[in-house]
């Protein structure tokens, strides 16, 4: 009897240990560029982390490291994920110029007019053309931010001629090329350096969406904003990727992998894009409240800017052709996807 009871207790302990091992707890280190009060942490990262925690019964949680707390530069984030230094990030592939050229099609000027639709198109495009390019990480979403505009410290930009001699910060090589094609001088610098640079006159202005303004108080650093008409194609946008370390993903038990799978891909891309779209009003209201001035470019002037920057499309196609990709087909397909998802013309 005692022997039977002992065996039963041993079996129970072993079963409990096995269950505990099967129900392992996982902490995902999430490193990113934004301050905790910025839109992306509050509207994208934190809700996503809460969702995977809830769906895993708190067996999988995020450990957040905002504002580059783990060191390195924004351009190094993608390699931090690739190398397993961190498990997750959201970053711009364009921070590493020339490394991810396929997805740059969505950073061409005058392509998108909705971040949500642009994000949906970008995910579809990635699944067909970009998987090899991002094979070193596991993308969980692709998105674009809300429409990018020109913001200036002392001079309102109304025509292409106004840009001559002006120095602007832009986020990626495609937006730097856009500025150069319009006659401005692009200046490379990380986003956190922009407020000081513009306040000291190191740059005359910058290309950015409204989303960024509240967290960095950029509406206090500039006086003028040059916009494209509401609902029209944006002057520019930038592509974001949410990337996971593949080895970390592969180490997860099947049920936790399923949680990640349910919370990634097309639906997560759309959610992120929607959050960027919804962020515009807050940023613009801050600029309006300060009494800043706004100028919307008329169609005739926009046509001039489109003509001046048209060579960037040819350059993208030629670059893809050199890589053995069907460049012309890819550009057209990106445009078709934008139309399919509700933006682009």
């Amino acid at each position: 009897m005692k022997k039977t009871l002992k065996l039963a207790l041993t079996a129970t302990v072993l079963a409990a240990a096995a269950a505990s091992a099967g129900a392992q707890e996982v902490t995902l280190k999430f490193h990113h560029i934004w301050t905790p009060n910025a839109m992306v942490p509050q509207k994208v990262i934190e809700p996503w982390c809460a969702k995977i925690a809830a769906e895993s019964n708190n067996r999988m949680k995020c450990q957040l490291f905002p504002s580059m707390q783990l060191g390195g530069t924004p351009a190094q984030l993608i390699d931090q994920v690739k190398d397993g230094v961190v498990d997750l990030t959201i970053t711009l592939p364009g921070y590493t110029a020339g490394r991810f050229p396929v997805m740059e099609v969505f950073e061409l000027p005058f392509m998108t007019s909705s971040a949500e639709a642009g994000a949906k198109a970008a995910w579809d495009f990635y699944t067909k053309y970009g998987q090899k390019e991002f094979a070193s990480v596991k993308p969980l979403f692709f998105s674009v931010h809300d429409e990018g505009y020109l913001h200036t410290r002392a001079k309102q930009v109304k025509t292409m001629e106004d840009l001559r001699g002006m120095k602007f910060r832009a986020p990626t090589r495609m937006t730097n090329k856009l500025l150069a094609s319009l006659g401005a001088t692009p200046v490379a610098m990380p986003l956190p350096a922009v407020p000081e640079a513009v306040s000291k006159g190191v740059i005359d202005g910058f290309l950015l969406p409204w989303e960024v303004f509240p967290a960095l108080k950029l509406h206090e650093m500039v006086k003028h904003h040059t916009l494209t008409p509401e609902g029209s194609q944006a002057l520019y946008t930038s592509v974001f990727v949410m990337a996971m370390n593949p080895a970390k993903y592969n180490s997860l038990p099947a049920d936790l992998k399923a949680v990640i799978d349910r919370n990634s891909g097309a639906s997560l891309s759309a959610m992120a894009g929607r959050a960027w779209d919804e962020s515009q009003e807050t940023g613009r209201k801050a600029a309006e409240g300060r009494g800043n001035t706004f100028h919307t470019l008329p169609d005739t002037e926009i046509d001039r800017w489109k003509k001046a920057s048209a060579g960037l499309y040819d350059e993208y196609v030629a670059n893809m052709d050199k890589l053995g990709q069907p460049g012309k087909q890819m550009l057209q397909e990106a445009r078709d996807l934008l139309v399919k998802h509700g933006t682009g013309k």
Side-chain angles (χ1 to χ4, degrees):
M1 183 72 176
K2 289 182 179 179
K3 186 176 181 181
T4 302
L5 180 60
K6 185 176 181 180
L7 288 172
L9 288 170
T10 301
T12 301
V13 170
L14 290 173
S20 176
Q24 71 184 73
E25 294 187 359
V26 175
T27 298
L28 302 174
K29 291 188 290 185
F30 202 136
H31 195 203
H32 63 83
I33 62 173
W34 290 277
T35 58
N37 65 327
M39 187 283 291
V40 175
Q42 292 192 350
K43 301 296 184 179
V44 180
I45 295 173
E46 291 174 15
W48 184 85
C49 289
K51 201 162 186 289
I52 66 162
E55 292 186 17
S56 66
N57 294 317
N58 288 319
R59 289 170 48 217
M60 185 161 57
K61 299 178 181 179
C62 297
Q63 185 178 9
L64 301 180
F65 297 94
S67 306
M68 300 299 297
Q69 284 181 356
L70 295 181
T73 66
Q76 294 170 331
L77 280 169
I78 198 78
D79 281 328
Q80 289 183 4
V81 170
K82 175 179 74 72
D83 297 336
V85 176
V86 301
D87 301 311
L88 290 160
T89 194
I90 297 176
T91 188
L92 283 79
Y95 278 159
T96 50
R99 185 171 170 183
F100 303 102
V102 167
M103 298 302 293
E104 281 186 322
V105 69
F106 294 100
E107 295 187 343
L108 288 165
F110 304 105
M111 286 284 283
T112 68
S113 61
S114 157
E116 181 177 356
K120 291 176 180 178
W123 181 262
D124 288 352
F125 193 84
Y126 155 74
T127 61
K128 183 169 182 179
Y129 294 110
Q131 293 192 55
K132 182 178 179 181
E133 186 168 272
F134 287 89
S136 63
V137 296
K138 179 178 175 59
L140 302 188
F141 80 48
F142 281 91
S143 189
V144 301
H145 60 58
D146 51 301
E147 293 98 309
Y149 302 116
L150 276 169
H151 313 277
T152 47
R153 181 173 63 97
K155 177 183 175 183
Q156 180 80 68
V157 172
K158 295 184 177 181
T159 68
M160 200 159 55
E161 287 72 21
D162 292 334
L163 292 167
R164 291 174 187 164
M166 296 185 73
K167 294 176 289 185
F168 284 86
R169 183 267 180 187
T172 65
R173 73 166 181 170
M174 190 62 75
T175 41
N176 282 327
K177 288 178 179 180
L178 168 63
L179 284 169
S181 74
L182 298 175
T185 301
V187 179
M189 68 176 63
L191 180 60
V194 170
E196 183 177 4
V198 74
S199 65
K200 290 185 175 180
V202 175
I203 55 176
D204 299 299
F206 45 82
L207 285 177
L208 278 177
W210 288 120
E211 170 259 316
V212 182
F213 273 66
L216 296 181
K217 297 184 178 180
L218 291 172
H219 53 286
E220 298 177 5
M221 308 295 168
V222 294
K223 295 180 180 178
H224 309 287
H225 310 276
T226 300
L227 317 176
T228 46
E230 186 176 350
S232 71
Q233 293 155 311
L235 175 61
Y236 91 100
T237 191
S238 296
V239 173
F240 288 83
V241 61
M242 179 175 176
M244 185 173 186
N245 175 259
K248 186 70 172 184
Y249 172 82
N250 290 331
S251 73
L252 299 175
D255 63 330
L256 295 188
K257 282 183 182 175
V259 172
I260 297 293
D261 293 344
R262 285 196 303 272
N263 292 284
S264 61
S267 60
L268 182 62
S269 298
M271 183 276 278
R274 191 159 53 250
W276 260 292
D277 278 334
E278 292 171 352
S279 72
Q280 296 181 67
E281 186 177 357
T282 300
R284 174 161 180 152
K285 278 188 173 179
E288 289 173 344
R290 188 171 178 267
N292 291 359
T293 63
F294 298 79
H295 175 74
T296 300
L297 295 171
D299 290 342
T300 51
E301 185 63 24
I302 288 174
D303 287 342
R304 296 180 68 220
W305 292 35
K306 286 181 177 180
K307 185 177 180 180
S309 60
L312 298 182
Y313 293 87
D314 297 333
E315 187 177 329
Y316 175 82
V317 169
N319 192 22
M320 291 301 102
D321 289 344
K322 287 178 185 176
L323 296 173
Q325 298 264 39
K328 189 174 181 180
Q329 173 185 314
M330 292 167 71
L331 176 58
Q332 187 58 51
E333 192 154 344
R335 286 171 163 157
D336 291 344
L337 285 168
L338 289 167
V339 171
K340 172 186 174 182
H341 291 296
T343 185
K345 294 175 184 177

